[in-house]
Amino acid sequence: MTSTHRDQIHRDRDRPDWASDPAARRGQAVRAAVVHGLIRPEEPVVGLLDVTGIRQYATALITAFSEVTAPGTPQLHAFAVKACPLVPVLRLLAAEGLGCEVASPGELALARAAGVPAERTVFDSPAKTQAELREATGLGVAVHADNPQELARLDELVGSARGSAPAPLGLRVNPQVGGGAIDALSTATATSKFGVALRDEGAREWIVRACLDRPWLTRLHAHTGSQGLPLELMAAGVRETYELAQEINAAAGRRQIDTLDIGGGLPVSFATDEPPAFGPYARLLRTTVPGLVDGRYGLVTEFGRSLLAKNGLVLARVEYAKSAGGRAIAVTHAGAQLATRTVFTPGAWPIRVAAYDAEGRPKRGPAVAQDIAGPCCFAGDLVAENRELPLLEAGDLAALLDTGAYYFTNHFAYNSLPRPAVYGFLPDPAAPGGVRFALVRRLQTVDEIVAESGGAERDALIG
Ligand SMILES: *Cc1c(COP(=O)(O)O)cnc(C)c1O
């Protein structure tokens, strides 16, 4: 091989194929984050979002469902805002054709700030107040009642609108098809707190009657669970919901239920770069519930984690490298404040950690079992325990992979640590390191922390 040829190969390796290689995008973004000074001693932790990957996943979702549904089937893919409650992300997803699923006034406000129209928003929450129901339906946002008491509140709203629904209204059911690997995220167990429990004694008859009495109830909603559910179980939950809709419509003698919201919950791999199975899940739904996709029903989905998790990472400086009892410990700036689930339930939420040197280059060297610790003041604040990695040293960088959903965007205010800055990254041959960064959320300031912690009420307890 000539040296020119070797140089060419080298350059090609340095210039990744952005479209097809998420690991290469990530590597280049980490290196560029150092070059751009986004991560430095004074700002030792940042969140990074892969804009290319987010767009690709949004397209993959829309394509997967349009390939299995009859032409003309109305469909809304409402991104579950809780997975990544950042206005620029919601706006990016909206530009790619998605809507929003919200579960609190805050999430509704984020969707509105992102410019997501009411008719592309759905509101689910098990604890909606009367005022929240009034606000959401007044805007025209679809609402799913969780239980009989909430349905009575919708009765009042419809009554004061002279019997017509102010917005698309539906009922959430718990298909009770069983749980997955993670109890806390399994929403279709016998005793889950969400929706009307479909298999409880008398529940099915009650739901059918409730719908016949309320011609304005036009939707059914079920979300079987999040992460840890087999696709077959998710599809079984959807089938139960579909069969209930068929029963209601048969009893009504018309297509009263016209839209089925099948929730989210598509699992992601936290062990590899393999993308989520949008296509296989959509095809499984077609074989398990053919009537769902034949054009009879409008379709709403609410995917969260699967769209964002693999398109984000945390980059944290190693402040100190030490050892205790023979164990190497890298003390970093990423702990429970942004990897809350992993720290508190490490068995359910293991994440990949990648080691980089201070320049953002992949760290080489023999693998050494070490703890990757965070900055919080409790012993369990570890994002990885006894993990084999090239030995991290002070000034190196640890990257927590697959953390674009439910991690740095879902801050836990322990130790009054600030919410880190978040940047989106995109290829740009003209930019240093070949990467352009867009600020998505700036670093929370210490003044803001004081203000949010009763700073203005300083003398409240000593007066
Ligand atoms: C959390 C949630 C979702 C999103 O779940 P993912 O696992 O992130 O896809 C969708 N719908 C409802 C009702 C939820 O509570």
Side-chain angles (χ1 to χ4, degrees), residues 80 82 101 124 172 221 223 226 264-266 302-305 406:
K82 73 172 184 281
E101 185 263 355
D124 305 319
R172 178 167 183 174
H221 170 225
H223 169 67
S226 293
L266 192 67
E302 307 173 338
F303 294 102
R305 179 178 291 104
Y406 301 104

Side-chain angles (χ1 to χ4, degrees), residues 123-395:
F123 185 30
D124 305 319
S125 144
K128 307 174 202 79
T129 66
Q130 217 142 10
E132 288 165 19
L133 289 169
R134 208 175 305 119
E135 185 201 4
T137 55
L139 290 167
V141 168
V143 167
H144 305 126
D146 179 88
N147 58 65
Q149 293 174 359
E150 189 180 338
L151 194 55
R153 288 179 169 179
L154 292 186
D155 284 340
E156 285 174 29
L157 285 174
V158 170
S160 55
R162 296 206 190 80
S164 72
L169 300 176
L171 195 60
R172 178 167 183 174
V173 298
N174 169 7
Q176 288 172 305
V177 289
I182 304 174
D183 286 347
L185 271 61
S186 295
T187 44
T189 62
T191 57
S192 162
K193 74 173 179 185
F194 297 101
V196 179
L198 190 50
R199 293 182 184 176
D200 280 11
E201 175 137 21
R204 209 178 173 89
E205 298 69 32
W206 180 85
I207 293 171
V208 173
R209 186 74 253 160
C211 289
L212 295 182
D213 290 346
R214 295 169 181 80
W216 41 265
L217 270 180
T218 56
R219 296 182 168 210
L220 290 181
H221 170 225
H223 169 67
T224 300
S226 293
Q227 188 68 18
L229 290 198
L231 298 189
E232 291 72 22
L233 193 65
M234 295 169 55
V238 174
R239 190 179 54 222
E240 292 288 324
T241 314
Y242 163 80
E243 283 167 359
L244 177 63
Q246 288 288 96
E247 187 178 332
I248 293 165
N249 289 350
R254 66 186 185 100
R255 202 170 308 159
Q256 175 173 344
I257 303 296
D258 60 17
T259 302
L260 296 176
D261 182 333
I262 64 168
L266 192 67
V268 308
S269 166
F270 284 98
T272 69
D273 278 320
E274 192 181 322
F278 294 116
Y281 182 48
R283 290 191 288 277
L284 177 66
L285 284 172
R286 181 178 51 191
T287 50
T288 314
V289 205
L292 175 76
V293 293
D294 67 6
R296 241 177 299 170
Y297 292 99
L299 200 56
V300 178
T301 71
E302 307 173 338
F303 294 102
R305 179 178 291 104
S306 49
L307 287 160
L308 258 295
K310 305 201 67 63
N311 291 312
L313 66 130
V314 171
L315 198 55
R317 278 190 99 236
V318 177
E319 193 66 45
Y320 301 109
K322 57 194 284 190
S323 87
R327 174 75 56 86
I329 305 169
V331 180
T332 80
H333 287 275
Q337 88 275 27
L338 44 69
T340 314
R341 282 185 169 144
T342 294
V343 168
F344 287 110
T345 43
W349 297 102
I351 51 173
R352 294 185 290 168
V353 178
Y356 296 91
D357 67 17
E359 303 303 318
R361 298 195 176 87
K363 187 97 177 164
R364 313 263 173 232
V368 177
Q370 54 197 303
D371 287 357
I372 317 299
C376 299
C377 296
F378 64 98
D381 188 34
L382 307 172
V383 295
E385 204 175 346
N386 217 4
R387 183 73 58 89
E388 303 251 343
L389 282 176
L391 187 66
L392 285 163
E393 297 163 282

Side-chain angles (χ1 to χ4, degrees), residues 395-416:
D396 285 347
L397 302 173
L400 315 187
L401 308 188
D402 310 317
T403 50
Y406 301 104
Y407 279 83
F408 55 86
T409 57
N410 298 63
H411 193 80
F412 172 43
Y414 201 85
N415 277 141
S416 300

